[in-house]
Coordinates of all heavy atoms in Angstrom, one line a residue:
Chain Q
N7 N 6.5 4.6 -3.1 CA 7.9 4.9 -3.1 C 8.1 6.4 -3.4 O 7.9 6.7 -4.6 CB 8.7 4.0 -4.1 CG 8.6 2.5 -3.6 OD1 8.8 2.3 -2.4 ND2 8.4 1.6 -4.5
Q8 N 8.7 7.1 -2.6 CA 9.0 8.5 -2.8 C 10.5 8.5 -2.9 O 11.3 7.7 -2.4 CB 8.6 9.3 -1.6 CG 8.9 10.7 -1.7 CD 8.6 11.4 -0.3 OE1 7.8 12.3 -0.3 NE2 9.4 11.1 0.7
I9 N 11.0 9.6 -3.6 CA 12.5 9.7 -3.8 C 12.8 11.1 -3.2 O 12.2 12.1 -3.5 CB 12.9 9.8 -5.2 CG1 12.7 8.3 -5.8 CG2 14.3 10.2 -5.4 CD1 12.8 8.3 -7.3
S10 N 13.8 11.1 -2.2 CA 14.2 12.3 -1.6 C 15.6 12.7 -2.1 O 16.5 11.8 -2.2 CB 14.2 12.2 -0.1 OG 13.0 11.9 0.4
V11 N 15.8 13.9 -2.4 CA 17.1 14.4 -2.9 C 17.6 15.6 -2.1 O 16.9 16.5 -1.8 CB 16.9 14.9 -4.4 CG1 18.3 15.1 -5.0 CG2 16.2 13.9 -5.3
F12 N 18.9 15.4 -1.7 CA 19.5 16.5 -0.9 C 20.0 17.5 -1.9 O 20.7 17.3 -2.8 CB 20.7 15.8 -0.1 CG 21.5 16.9 0.7 CD1 21.0 17.3 1.9 CD2 22.7 17.4 0.2 CE1 21.7 18.3 2.6 CE2 23.4 18.4 0.9 CZ 22.9 18.8 2.1
L13 N 19.6 18.8 -1.6 CA 20.0 19.9 -2.4 C 20.7 21.0 -1.6 O 20.2 21.4 -0.6 CB 18.9 20.5 -3.1 CG 18.1 19.6 -4.1 CD1 16.9 20.4 -4.7 CD2 18.9 19.2 -5.3
E14 N 21.8 21.5 -2.2 CA 22.4 22.6 -1.5 C 21.6 23.8 -1.9 O 21.0 23.9 -2.9 CB 23.8 22.9 -2.0 CG 24.9 22.2 -1.2 CD 26.2 22.4 -2.0 OE1 26.6 23.6 -2.1 OE2 26.7 21.4 -2.5
N15 N 21.5 24.9 -1.0 CA 20.8 26.0 -1.3 C 21.7 26.9 -2.2 O 22.4 27.8 -1.8 CB 20.6 26.8 0.0 CG 19.2 26.7 0.4 OD1 18.4 26.0 -0.2 ND2 18.8 27.4 1.5
K16 N 21.6 26.6 -3.5 CA 22.3 27.4 -4.4 C 21.6 27.3 -5.8 O 20.9 26.2 -6.0 CB 23.8 27.1 -4.6 CG 24.2 25.7 -5.1 CD 25.7 25.5 -5.0 CE 26.0 24.2 -5.7 NZ 27.4 23.8 -5.5
S17 N 21.7 28.3 -6.6 CA 20.9 28.3 -7.8 C 21.2 27.2 -8.7 O 22.3 26.7 -8.8 CB 21.0 29.7 -8.5 OG 22.4 29.8 -8.9
G18 N 20.1 26.7 -9.4 CA 20.4 25.7 -10.5 C 20.3 24.3 -10.1 O 20.3 23.4 -10.9
R19 N 20.2 24.0 -8.8 CA 20.2 22.7 -8.3 C 18.9 22.0 -8.6 O 18.8 20.9 -9.1 CB 20.5 22.6 -6.8 CG 21.8 23.1 -6.5 CD 23.0 22.6 -7.3 NE 23.2 21.1 -7.2 CZ 23.7 20.4 -8.1 NH1 24.0 20.9 -9.3 NH2 23.9 19.1 -8.0
L20 N 17.7 22.6 -8.4 CA 16.5 22.1 -8.7 C 16.3 21.9 -10.2 O 15.9 20.8 -10.6 CB 15.3 23.0 -8.1 CG 13.9 22.6 -8.3 CD1 13.8 21.2 -7.6 CD2 13.0 23.5 -7.7
A21 N 16.8 22.9 -10.9 CA 16.8 22.8 -12.4 C 17.5 21.6 -12.9 O 17.1 20.9 -13.8 CB 17.3 24.0 -13.0
A22 N 18.6 21.3 -12.2 CA 19.4 20.1 -12.7 C 18.7 18.8 -12.4 O 18.7 18.0 -13.3 CB 20.8 20.1 -11.9
V23 N 18.0 18.7 -11.3 CA 17.2 17.5 -11.0 C 16.1 17.3 -12.1 O 16.0 16.3 -12.7 CB 16.6 17.6 -9.6 CG1 15.6 16.4 -9.4 CG2 17.6 17.6 -8.6
T24 N 15.4 18.4 -12.3 CA 14.3 18.2 -13.3 C 14.7 18.0 -14.7 O 14.1 17.2 -15.5 CB 13.4 19.5 -13.3 OG1 14.3 20.7 -13.5 CG2 12.6 19.6 -12.0
R25 N 15.9 18.5 -15.1 CA 16.5 18.3 -16.4 C 16.9 16.8 -16.5 O 16.5 16.1 -17.5 CB 17.7 19.1 -16.6 CG 18.4 18.9 -18.0 CD 19.7 19.8 -18.1 NE 20.6 19.7 -17.0 CZ 21.5 18.6 -16.8 NH1 21.4 17.6 -17.6 NH2 22.2 18.6 -15.7
I26 N 17.5 16.2 -15.5 CA 17.9 14.9 -15.5 C 16.6 14.0 -15.7 O 16.6 13.1 -16.5 CB 18.7 14.4 -14.3 CG1 20.1 15.2 -14.3 CG2 18.9 12.9 -14.2 CD1 20.7 15.2 -13.0
L27 N 15.6 14.3 -14.9 CA 14.4 13.5 -15.0 C 13.8 13.6 -16.4 O 13.3 12.6 -17.0 CB 13.4 14.0 -13.9 CG 13.9 13.6 -12.5 CD1 12.8 14.1 -11.4 CD2 14.2 12.2 -12.3
S28 N 13.7 14.8 -16.9 CA 13.1 15.0 -18.2 C 13.9 14.2 -19.3 O 13.3 13.6 -20.1 CB 13.0 16.5 -18.5 OG 13.8 16.9 -19.6
E29 N 15.2 14.2 -19.3 CA 16.0 13.5 -20.2 C 15.7 12.1 -20.2 O 15.9 11.4 -21.2 CB 17.5 13.8 -20.0 CG 18.0 15.2 -20.4 CD 19.3 15.6 -20.0 OE1 20.0 14.7 -19.3 OE2 19.7 16.7 -20.2
N30 N 15.3 11.6 -19.0 CA 15.1 10.2 -18.9 C 13.6 9.8 -19.0 O 13.1 8.8 -18.6 CB 15.7 9.6 -17.6 CG 17.2 9.6 -17.7 OD1 17.8 8.7 -18.2 ND2 17.9 10.6 -17.2
K31 N 12.8 10.8 -19.4 CA 11.4 10.6 -19.6 C 10.7 10.2 -18.3 O 9.8 9.3 -18.3 CB 11.1 9.7 -20.8 CG 11.8 9.9 -22.0 CD 10.9 10.7 -22.9 CE 11.6 11.0 -24.3 NZ 12.7 12.0 -24.3
V32 N 11.1 10.7 -17.2 CA 10.5 10.4 -15.9 C 9.5 11.6 -15.7 O 9.8 12.8 -15.8 CB 11.5 10.4 -14.8 CG1 10.8 10.2 -13.4 CG2 12.4 9.2 -15.0
N33 N 8.3 11.2 -15.4 CA 7.2 12.2 -15.1 C 7.1 12.4 -13.6 O 6.9 11.5 -12.9 CB 5.9 11.8 -15.8 CG 5.0 13.0 -15.8 OD1 5.3 14.1 -15.6 ND2 3.7 12.7 -16.1
I34 N 7.1 13.7 -13.2 CA 6.9 14.0 -11.8 C 5.4 14.1 -11.5 O 4.6 14.8 -12.2 CB 7.6 15.4 -11.5 CG1 9.0 15.3 -11.7 CG2 7.3 15.7 -10.0 CD1 9.7 16.6 -11.6
R35 N 5.0 13.3 -10.5 CA 3.5 13.3 -10.2 C 3.2 14.2 -9.0 O 2.1 14.8 -8.9 CB 3.1 11.9 -9.7 CG 3.5 10.8 -10.8 CD 2.8 11.0 -12.1 NE 1.4 11.1 -12.0 CZ 0.6 11.9 -12.7 NH1 1.2 12.6 -13.6 NH2 -0.7 12.0 -12.5
A36 N 4.2 14.3 -8.1 CA 4.0 15.3 -7.0 C 5.4 15.6 -6.4 O 6.3 14.9 -6.6 CB 3.2 14.5 -5.9
L37 N 5.5 16.8 -5.8 CA 6.7 17.2 -5.3 C 6.6 18.2 -4.1 O 5.6 18.9 -4.0 CB 7.7 17.7 -6.3 CG 7.5 19.1 -6.8 CD1 8.5 20.1 -6.3 CD2 7.4 19.2 -8.3
S38 N 7.6 18.2 -3.2 CA 7.6 19.2 -2.2 C 9.1 19.5 -1.9 O 9.9 18.7 -2.1 CB 6.8 18.8 -1.0 OG 7.6 18.3 0.0
I39 N 9.3 20.7 -1.4 CA 10.7 21.0 -0.9 C 10.6 21.5 0.5 O 9.9 22.4 0.9 CB 11.4 22.1 -1.8 CG1 11.5 21.6 -3.2 CG2 12.7 22.5 -1.2 CD1 12.1 22.6 -4.2
A40 N 11.5 20.9 1.3 CA 11.6 21.4 2.7 C 13.0 22.1 2.6 O 14.0 21.6 2.2 CB 11.8 20.3 3.6
D41 N 13.0 23.4 3.1 CA 14.3 24.1 3.0 C 14.7 24.8 4.3 O 13.9 25.1 5.1 CB 14.2 25.2 1.9 CG 13.3 26.3 2.3 OD1 12.1 26.0 2.6 OD2 13.6 27.5 2.1
T42 N 16.0 24.8 4.5 CA 16.6 25.4 5.7 C 17.5 26.5 5.1 O 17.6 26.7 3.9 CB 17.4 24.5 6.6 OG1 18.6 24.2 5.9 CG2 16.7 23.2 6.8
S43 N 18.2 27.2 5.9 CA 19.1 28.3 5.4 C 20.3 27.7 4.6 O 20.8 28.3 3.7 CB 19.6 29.2 6.6 OG 20.3 28.4 7.5
D44 N 20.6 26.5 4.9 CA 21.8 25.9 4.2 C 21.5 24.9 3.1 O 22.2 24.7 2.1 CB 22.7 25.2 5.3 CG 23.4 26.2 6.1 OD1 23.7 27.4 5.6 OD2 23.7 25.9 7.2
F45 N 20.4 24.2 3.3 CA 20.1 23.1 2.3 C 18.6 23.0 2.2 O 17.8 23.5 2.9 CB 20.8 21.8 2.7 CG 20.4 21.3 4.0 CD1 19.2 20.5 4.2 CD2 21.0 21.5 5.2 CE1 18.7 20.0 5.4 CE2 20.6 21.0 6.5 CZ 19.5 20.3 6.5
G46 N 18.3 22.1 1.2 CA 16.9 21.8 1.0 C 16.7 20.2 0.8 O 17.7 19.6 0.4
I47 N 15.5 19.8 1.0 CA 15.3 18.3 0.7 C 14.1 18.4 -0.3 O 13.0 18.8 0.0 CB 15.0 17.5 1.8 CG1 16.2 17.5 2.8 CG2 14.7 16.0 1.5 CD1 16.0 16.9 4.2
L48 N 14.4 17.8 -1.5 CA 13.3 17.7 -2.5 C 12.7 16.3 -2.4 O 13.4 15.3 -2.4 CB 14.0 17.9 -3.9 CG 13.1 17.7 -5.1 CD1 11.9 18.6 -5.2 CD2 13.9 17.7 -6.4
R49 N 11.4 16.3 -2.3 CA 10.7 15.0 -2.2 C 9.8 14.8 -3.4 O 9.1 15.7 -3.8 CB 9.9 14.9 -1.0 CG 10.7 14.9 0.3 CD 10.0 15.3 1.5 NE 10.9 15.5 2.6 CZ 10.8 16.4 3.6 NH1 9.8 17.2 3.5 NH2 11.6 16.3 4.6
L50 N 9.9 13.7 -4.1 CA 9.3 13.5 -5.4 C 8.6 12.2 -5.4 O 9.0 11.2 -5.0 CB 10.4 13.4 -6.5 CG 11.3 14.6 -6.9 CD1 12.5 14.1 -7.7 CD2 10.5 15.6 -7.6
I51 N 7.4 12.3 -6.1 CA 6.7 11.1 -6.5 C 6.7 11.1 -8.0 O 6.3 12.1 -8.6 CB 5.3 11.1 -6.0 CG1 5.2 11.4 -4.6 CG2 4.5 9.7 -6.4 CD1 4.9 10.3 -3.6
V52 N 7.3 10.0 -8.6 CA 7.3 10.0 -10.0 C 6.7 8.7 -10.6 O 6.4 7.8 -9.9 CB 8.8 10.0 -10.5 CG1 9.5 11.4 -10.1 CG2 9.6 8.9 -9.9
D53 N 6.6 8.6 -11.9 CA 5.9 7.4 -12.5 C 6.9 6.3 -12.5 O 6.5 5.1 -12.5 CB 5.3 7.8 -13.9 CG 6.4 8.3 -14.8 OD1 7.5 8.5 -14.4 OD2 6.1 8.5 -16.0
Q54 N 8.2 6.6 -12.5 CA 9.2 5.4 -12.5 C 10.2 5.7 -11.5 O 11.3 6.1 -11.7 CB 9.9 5.4 -13.9 CG 8.9 5.2 -15.0 CD 9.6 5.4 -16.3 OE1 10.3 4.5 -16.8 NE2 9.5 6.6 -16.9
P55 N 9.8 5.3 -10.2 CA 10.7 5.6 -9.0 C 12.1 5.0 -9.2 O 13.1 5.6 -8.9 CB 9.9 5.0 -7.8 CG 8.6 4.8 -8.3 CD 8.6 4.7 -9.7
K56 N 12.2 3.7 -9.6 CA 13.5 3.1 -9.6 C 14.4 3.7 -10.7 O 15.6 4.0 -10.3 CB 13.2 1.6 -10.0 CG 14.4 0.7 -10.3 CD 14.7 -0.2 -9.2 CE 16.0 -1.0 -9.3 NZ 17.1 -0.2 -9.6
L57 N 13.8 4.0 -11.8 CA 14.7 4.7 -12.8 C 15.1 6.1 -12.3 O 16.3 6.4 -12.5 CB 13.8 4.9 -14.1 CG 14.5 5.6 -15.2 CD1 15.7 4.8 -15.8 CD2 13.5 5.9 -16.4
A58 N 14.2 6.8 -11.7 CA 14.6 8.1 -11.2 C 15.7 8.1 -10.2 O 16.6 8.8 -10.2 CB 13.3 8.8 -10.6
F59 N 15.5 7.1 -9.3 CA 16.5 6.9 -8.3 C 17.9 6.7 -8.9 O 18.9 7.3 -8.5 CB 16.1 5.8 -7.4 CG 17.1 5.5 -6.3 CD1 17.1 6.2 -5.1 CD2 18.1 4.5 -6.4 CE1 18.1 5.9 -4.1 CE2 19.0 4.2 -5.4 CZ 19.0 4.9 -4.3
D60 N 17.9 5.7 -9.9 CA 19.2 5.3 -10.5 C 19.9 6.5 -11.2 O 21.0 6.8 -11.0 CB 19.0 4.1 -11.4 CG 18.7 2.9 -10.6 OD1 19.0 2.8 -9.4 OD2 18.1 1.9 -11.2
V61 N 19.0 7.2 -12.0 CA 19.7 8.2 -12.8 C 20.2 9.4 -11.9 O 21.3 9.9 -12.2 CB 18.8 8.7 -13.9 CG1 18.6 7.7 -15.0 CG2 17.5 9.4 -13.4
L62 N 19.4 9.8 -10.9 CA 19.9 10.8 -10.1 C 21.2 10.4 -9.3 O 22.1 11.2 -9.1 CB 18.8 11.3 -9.1 CG 17.7 12.0 -9.7 CD1 16.4 12.2 -8.7 CD2 18.1 13.3 -10.2
K63 N 21.1 9.2 -8.8 CA 22.3 8.6 -8.1 C 23.5 8.7 -9.0 O 24.6 9.1 -8.6 CB 22.0 7.2 -7.6 CG 23.1 6.7 -6.7 CD 22.5 6.0 -5.5 CE 23.6 5.7 -4.5 NZ 23.6 6.5 -3.3
N64 N 23.3 8.2 -10.2 CA 24.5 8.2 -11.2 C 25.0 9.6 -11.4 O 26.2 9.8 -11.7 CB 24.1 7.6 -12.5 CG 24.0 6.1 -12.4 OD1 24.5 5.5 -11.4 ND2 23.3 5.4 -13.3
E65 N 24.2 10.6 -11.3 CA 24.5 12.0 -11.5 C 25.2 12.6 -10.3 O 25.6 13.8 -10.3 CB 23.4 12.9 -12.0 CG 22.9 12.5 -13.4 CD 23.8 13.1 -14.5 OE1 24.5 14.1 -14.3 OE2 23.8 12.5 -15.6
G66 N 25.4 11.8 -9.3 CA 26.0 12.3 -8.1 C 25.2 12.9 -7.0 O 25.8 13.4 -6.1
F67 N 23.9 12.8 -7.1 CA 23.0 13.4 -6.1 C 22.9 12.4 -4.9 O 23.1 11.3 -5.0 CB 21.7 13.7 -6.6 CG 21.6 14.9 -7.4 CD1 21.7 14.8 -8.8 CD2 21.4 16.2 -6.9 CE1 21.7 16.0 -9.6 CE2 21.3 17.3 -7.6 CZ 21.4 17.2 -9.0
S68 N 22.8 13.1 -3.7 CA 22.5 12.2 -2.5 C 21.0 11.9 -2.6 O 20.2 12.8 -2.5 CB 22.8 13.0 -1.2 OG 24.0 12.7 -0.7
V69 N 20.6 10.6 -2.9 CA 19.2 10.3 -3.1 C 18.9 9.3 -2.1 O 19.7 8.4 -1.8 CB 19.0 9.7 -4.5 CG1 17.5 9.7 -4.8 CG2 19.7 10.5 -5.5
S70 N 17.6 9.3 -1.6 CA 17.2 8.3 -0.7 C 15.8 7.9 -1.0 O 14.9 8.7 -1.1 CB 17.5 8.7 0.8 OG 16.3 8.7 1.5
P71 N 15.6 6.5 -1.1 CA 14.2 6.1 -1.3 C 13.5 6.1 0.0 O 13.9 5.6 1.0 CB 14.4 4.7 -1.8 CG 15.7 4.3 -1.4 CD 16.5 5.4 -1.0
T72 N 12.2 6.7 0.0 CA 11.5 6.7 1.3 C 10.1 6.2 1.0 O 9.6 6.3 -0.2 CB 11.5 8.1 1.9 OG1 11.4 9.0 0.8 CG2 12.7 8.4 2.6
E73 N 9.5 5.8 2.0 CA 8.1 5.3 1.8 C 7.1 6.2 2.4 O 7.2 6.6 3.6 CB 7.9 3.9 2.4 CG 8.7 2.9 1.5 CD 8.5 1.5 2.0 OE1 8.3 1.3 3.3 OE2 8.5 0.6 1.2
V74 N 6.0 6.5 1.7 CA 4.9 7.4 2.1 C 3.6 6.8 1.8 O 3.5 5.8 1.2 CB 5.1 8.9 1.5 CG1 6.3 9.6 1.9 CG2 5.1 8.7 0.0
I75 N 2.5 7.4 2.3 CA 1.2 6.9 1.9 C 0.4 8.0 1.2 O 0.6 9.2 1.5 CB 0.5 6.3 3.1 CG1 0.2 7.3 4.2 CG2 1.3 5.1 3.7 CD1 -0.7 6.8 5.3
G76 N -0.4 7.6 0.4 CA -1.3 8.5 -0.4 C -2.7 8.3 0.1 O -3.2 7.3 0.1

Side-chain angles (χ1 to χ4, degrees):
Chain Q
N7 292 318
Q8 176 191 247
I9 292 166
S10 300
V11 189
F12 175 80
L13 295 178
E14 264 174 70
N15 256 4
K16 62 183 187 191
S17 63
R19 298 313 293 154
L20 183 57
V23 172
T24 52
R25 181 181 49 77
I26 292 161
L27 294 180
S28 115
E29 281 168 7
N30 288 279
K31 308 267 183 287
V32 174
N33 194 12
I34 301 171
R35 309 298 307 145
L37 74 110
S38 98
I39 296 181
D41 67 314
T42 71
S43 56
D44 287 331
F45 61 84
I47 298 171
L48 172 66
R49 295 159 183 147
L50 294 166
I51 309 254
V52 296
D53 57 352
Q54 303 169 78
K56 172 105 183 53
L57 175 65
F59 178 84
D60 290 341
V61 293
L62 288 171
K63 186 133 191 109
N64 284 342
E65 290 283 337
F67 283 93
S68 269
V69 196
S70 119
T72 38
E73 290 182 330
V74 291
I75 61 175

